[in-house]
Amino acid sequence: LSAPEQRLVSFARILLAKPRFALMANPGRDVEPAIRQRLFQLLEENGITPITFGLAGKRDIDEHPSSYGAVLSLGEDQGRWRWKKK
């Protein structure tokens, strides 16, 4: 399967398992923005809270933090962090 197809299969597995939380690394990396938005909408409709990890703003392929309800940003110096709720 191609990378985008593999991402879609991973979302399908999450939706079938219906966990309360889903931990994902860069879940939209290989998926078009409109499809990514629909996938996250499906998670929400099924009561699944996505917790994602990425390097927002560090590479062109990363997702923009405004796509999420809240963002925890970890600083590179001395354990600084910032919590921003949408």
Side-chain angles (χ1 to χ4, degrees):
L1 296 174
S2 68
E5 292 169 332
Q6 291 175 34
R7 289 284 178 188
L8 294 175
V9 168
S10 67
F11 270 95
R13 292 181 68 191
I14 291 168
L15 289 166
L16 288 171
K18 294 191 185 267
R20 177 68 181 101
F21 299 96
L23 299 173
M24 300 177 276
N26 298 313
R29 178 175 47 209
D30 301 312
V31 181
E32 293 180 25
I35 294 173
R36 180 181 66 232
Q37 182 180 1
R38 178 63 181 136
L39 291 170
F40 276 89
Q41 182 181 17
L42 286 169
L43 292 176
E44 183 178 342
E45 289 172 4
N46 284 276
I48 302 169
T49 301
I51 300 172
T52 66
F53 301 90
L55 300 170
K58 299 292 184 184
R59 301 182 311 223
D60 291 340
I61 61 173
D62 291 327
E63 300 164 38
H64 195 277
S66 65
S67 303
Y68 297 94
V71 175
L72 172 63
S73 299
L74 303 176
E76 296 178 12
D77 58 332
Q78 302 178 15
R80 291 182 187 228
W81 58 274
R82 182 173 44 116
W83 176 260
K84 184 177 181 183
K85 206 167 183 185
K86 196 171 189 178

